Amino acid sequence: MEASTRLQLIGISKTFPGGVQANKDISLTVKRGEIHCLLGENGAGKSTLMSILYGEYHADSGEIWLDGQKATINTPKGAISHGIGMVHQHFMLVPTLSVAENIIMGMRPLASFLWYMKDIEKDIAEFAAKRGMKINPSALVSTLSVGEQQRVEIIKALYRGVDLLILDEPTAVLTPQETRDLFETLRNLAKQGFSIILITHKMNEVMEVADRVSVLRDGRMIDTLPISEVTPSSLARMMVGREVSFNQEKNDTPCGEPILKVEDLTLIGEKGRPLLKNISLKVCSGEIVGVAGVDGNGQSQLAFCVTGLMKPTSGRIWIEKNDLTGKSPLEFLKAGVGHIPEDRHAMGLVLEDPVAYNFLLQRYRDNYFKWFGFLNIKTIFEHARRLVKVFDVRTSSVKTPAANLSGGNQQKIIVGREIDRNPRLLVAVQPTRGLDIGATEYIHKQLIQQRERGAAILLISTELEEIMALSDRILVMFEGRIIGETDSDRANIDKIGLWMAGMQPEEAKQT
Amino acid sequence: MDILSIQILLQATLRMATPLIYAGIGETFSEKAGIINIGLEGYMLIGAFTAYATVYYTNNLLLAVVYAILVTALFGVIFAYLTITIKANQVIIGTALNLVGVGISGYLFRILFAQTRKAQPVRTFQQLPIPALKDIPLLGPSLFDQNILVYGTYLLVPLAAIILYKTSLGLVLRGTGEHPHAVESLGIRVVHIRYGAVIFASILAGIGGAYLPIAHANQFVENMTAGRGFIALAMVAFGRWNPVYVWLAGLLFGSTFALQLRLQAAQTIIPYQFLQILPYVVTFIALIISHGRSLQPRALGIPFEKEGN
Ligand SMILES: Nc1ncnc2c1ncn2[C@@H]1O[C@H](COP(=O)(O)OP(=O)(O)OP(=O)(O)O)[C@@H](O)[C@H]1O
Ligand SMILES: [Mg+2]
């Protein structure tokens, strides 16, 4: 039996007030019980299209049909009542509230009492467990890892009883294991008749999970194809319009002076929980050291410590000859430390500010940007225009607020800004999160160029492929310790995988 | 100090704290929803004048409170329209509202009542002792021999805490001041929630203002709020945006007013002008202490921009 059509979009067009036409006459069909992947470069218009479907934006023209009936969706509330749920690319969670509070927010009439949070929490935990997801409903969202927050988002949508679930780059923030779990969940849901629209930039994920795939380029629908009729490279070609290389060429650069030296770093968190335990490491000039590991094993804290954002409980940190232990982030900055933070919204960008100012962050003290002590707007805009060009940031102007850029383009601002400073040490945490394959390729090239220039790079990523492709040495973190170290040429995925799970390869052999 | 003077001091503390508590609780709701309303002083003056004029002409205390509510609510709607719909800067509009409050109440007062600037006394809410309870030693007379507006705060504070922490509305409110886009994405209209919170805050500030001429004193004096609106604003930060703590902060500040009066009456050698600054000095210290705690709602003061459309 042919599956019935759950959703049909016909001729959707949308132009933003600034003049960017994000969607041009897009049509799309989603069947009941299918996993439909939506692919496209950064800024291709995927999120916009989904926001229209979810009632957050209004299309200038076009129709939405649900189960064969024409529907008008003006608000998220309307979308939810039509059975459409959305997990946003950027989290829509209130950090100061608990998981359960975030999930039930707005589900009940405003006048209803919430006396029995404990019961609600139990119900949510059971609901999640039934769908193969584990969460602690009473935890504050601000204490959760990015991966856990993502899970809360999914449960939040499902708990509202939707049967068409949109996930905008859900795996960008997940570990390989979490991604596998998510796909398992999604496949189960699809089997039960849920329709799923999944946006991702990762070809292997598309090949693994999709039933059909649609490709957008420059706001236009290029094609929709069953997964059996595509290959990763044919998809890449459809997206970018040219061939894309998946592998990076890397010259052998001699290792130079040690730039970053960390000795016996220990960090004790709240309630005495050790977050980092006796970490010692060295990154030399012209070297990329990759830190692999499942999200939440201390990598974030390590990045915070070596950029001065967190003060270690004990241990020492040197940048070149300078002991910077306990110094302010500004001192680290001055010592030539660049930082591509993990969470671009919380740390990397001032969303409401124009793109140009975001390129300026941390550099506003430079005399270059000053004019008798005042900021020189003209130089700032020129500087920004140059970087926008060099890093291919798709924006209508450098005066556009950063918030109006697509996720991937926001990431390019940060990466561009940090690399442009020619840092001595670059701490790059998930540098290509949310970037399309073209942009990922570009950023990887940039990182390698920085290495050849003699920068020391500490690359922290949960993306094993990224680590393998770029690193000269690989460290694996587990529960706040460095559990293993290997040269990249001798590296083998199995060994690293075992380390990531907290096992030593020898132990594993014995059992 | 003997037991009687402690009792009197406590009683006065509650009385002085009452207008602060009304205004402070209202402001807590508004700020929880992300709108900082520094025009409290203006609302209070408008409420005070409206209540006074109503009692003067009708001799009806209940009607006075109702009118005070209606008139300040109207100003609340104007503030909400300017800051939420038009997205004007909240601090600037709030400041304007303070000036308008001083101006309007003073102007109307002079043309309607007193060229001499001294008003006719009016009827006030009388003490309403609660039988049995008022006989509890020490606390009885302080807590349960008060007027009805003071009793109102006994209901208001727990009610405010329950609404904020135990209802669906409270949950949404707390979300709105932190991450309005998250709230909006769940199908709740942030704009509606904010309008509601702002109007609620203005109503409570109106009651707090009305209290002064028709429960505390028996006449209107120009600028009679004397900075209480600003103290209420400080209470919210000092009380960490929690109604119960805000209430405690109100009692603290109320006690400084009471103490100051008491010391004046005791005829100490300190000049009374110095005693009069006491509440403001304590406010100042409280703000210094509470400074730097990052408990303030994250979206406080930031207009809500719906993306796209
Ligand atoms: N609120 C907005 N105002 C103006 N322009 C916008 C707004 N939101 C998005 N755009 C523009 O519309 C285009 C499409 O953006 P969209 O977010 O849909 O891309 P995307 O395909 O989701 O990209 P990514 O993979 O980077 O998330 C981009 O050029 C972006 O700059
Ligand atoms: Mg997007």
Side-chain angles (χ1 to χ4, degrees), chain A residues 456-477:
Chain A
I457 296 176
L458 186 67
L459 171 70
I460 299 179
S461 176
T462 51
E463 215 68 47
L464 210 45
E465 278 166 40
E466 180 166 75
I467 296 261
M468 302 280 284
L470 296 178
S471 311
D472 298 300
R473 264 186 312 128
I474 297 172
L475 308 175
V476 182
M477 284 188 74

Side-chain angles (χ1 to χ4, degrees), chain A residues 11-167:
Chain A
I12 302 278
S13 293
K14 166 84 187 167
T15 305
F16 281 109
V20 180
Q21 193 177 359
N23 288 168
K24 299 170 196 163
D25 193 23
I26 293 183
S27 297
L28 172 73
T29 310
V30 177
K31 292 181 201 158
R32 201 168 270 289
E34 84 166 331
I35 300 181
H36 195 117
C37 273
L38 198 53
L39 275 174
E41 280 187 289
N42 295 130
K46 308 177 294 292
S47 298
T48 305
L49 186 67
M50 292 302 109
S51 297
I52 289 170
L53 178 54
Y54 192 56
E56 289 174 319
Y57 293 167
H58 299 283
D60 302 332
S61 59
E63 292 173 5
I64 300 175
W65 290 67
L66 290 164
D67 291 323
Q69 298 209 322
K70 193 173 165 191
T72 322
I73 300 174
N74 289 322
T75 58
K77 193 183 204 141
I80 293 168
S81 70
H82 277 108
I84 302 170
M86 171 130 167
V87 176
H88 288 79
Q89 184 170 11
H90 301 117
F91 298 138
M92 290 295 174
L93 296 172
V94 182
T96 49
L97 298 181
S98 77
V99 168
E101 285 174 324
N102 268 285
I103 289 173
I104 61 160
M105 183 180 292
M107 277 186 73
R108 304 176 183 210
L110 291 181
S112 50
F113 284 104
L114 305 173
W115 290 120
Y116 303 105
M117 264 332 265
K118 282 275 162 293
D119 292 352
I120 296 171
E121 285 168 5
K122 224 178 97 203
D123 188 57
I124 289 173
E126 279 168 14
F127 180 89
K130 256 190 225 147
R131 284 150 190 82
M133 287 178 273
K134 215 180 96 200
I135 47 164
N136 172 8
S138 59
L140 277 188
V141 165
S142 58
T143 65
L144 302 185
S145 74
V146 187
E148 287 168 320
Q149 292 185 27
Q150 181 65 260
R151 214 173 305 156
V152 177
E153 284 279 37
I154 293 170
I155 295 165
K156 190 169 86 177
L158 292 181
Y159 202 65
R160 286 172 160 66
V162 303
D163 69 343
L164 170 59
L165 187 61
I166 306 163
L167 298 114

Side-chain angles (χ1 to χ4, degrees), chain A residues 141-290:
Chain A
V141 165
S142 58
T143 65
L144 302 185
S145 74
V146 187
E148 287 168 320
Q149 292 185 27
Q150 181 65 260
R151 214 173 305 156
V152 177
E153 284 279 37
I154 293 170
I155 295 165
K156 190 169 86 177
L158 292 181
Y159 202 65
R160 286 172 160 66
V162 303
D163 69 343
L164 170 59
L165 187 61
I166 306 163
L167 298 114
D168 195 348
E169 292 186 43
T171 59
V173 291
L174 298 186
T175 63
Q177 182 55 46
E178 284 173 321
T179 302
R180 234 167 291 149
D181 293 348
L182 170 68
F183 286 173
E184 188 62 42
T185 309
L186 293 185
R187 263 189 231 106
N188 272 334
L189 291 173
K191 236 176 265 159
Q192 292 165 32
F194 286 78
S195 308
I196 287 151
I197 303 178
L198 183 75
I199 299 180
T200 175
H201 288 295
K202 299 177 195 165
M203 294 302 146
N204 56 342
E205 293 181 359
V206 178
M207 301 310 292
E208 183 185 340
V209 77
D211 297 312
R212 291 196 304 155
V213 45
S214 293
V215 178
L216 291 185
R217 192 199 315 155
D218 275 339
R220 282 183 209 288
M221 176 62 75
I222 301 299
D223 207 355
T224 299
L225 292 165
I227 199 67
S228 53
E229 291 175 21
V230 297
T231 64
S233 45
S234 75
L235 284 175
R237 221 174 15 246
M238 280 164 77
M239 276 168 62
V240 187
R242 63 172 169 89
E243 292 295 332
V244 182
S245 90
F246 288 99
N247 288 316
Q248 291 295 336
E249 289 297 316
K250 211 169 58 178
N251 295 333
D252 271 334
T253 346
C255 263
E257 296 281 290
I259 304 283
L260 169 70
K261 223 165 75 190
V262 170
E263 242 180 53
D264 221 10
L265 201 68
T266 296
L267 179 73
I268 310 287
E270 277 170 45
K271 298 182 200 135
R273 204 162 66 97
L275 298 169
L276 294 176
K277 292 180 224 162
N278 308 96
I279 302 254
S280 297
L281 60 87
K282 210 157 62 176
V283 188
C284 298
S285 160
E287 185 185 38
I288 298 181
V289 173

Side-chain angles (χ1 to χ4, degrees), chain A residues 325-336:
Chain A
T325 319
K327 290 279 168 40
S328 70
L330 180 62
E331 305 271 350
F332 278 79
L333 207 74
K334 282 186 181 153

Side-chain angles (χ1 to χ4, degrees), chain B residues 35-57:
Chain B
I35 305 281
I36 184 155
N37 194 344
I38 70 161
L40 284 185
E41 182 86 359
Y43 289 132
M44 288 181 86
L45 272 172
I46 290 163
F49 178 78
T50 310
Y52 173 76
T54 312
V55 181
Y56 184 87
Y57 288 120

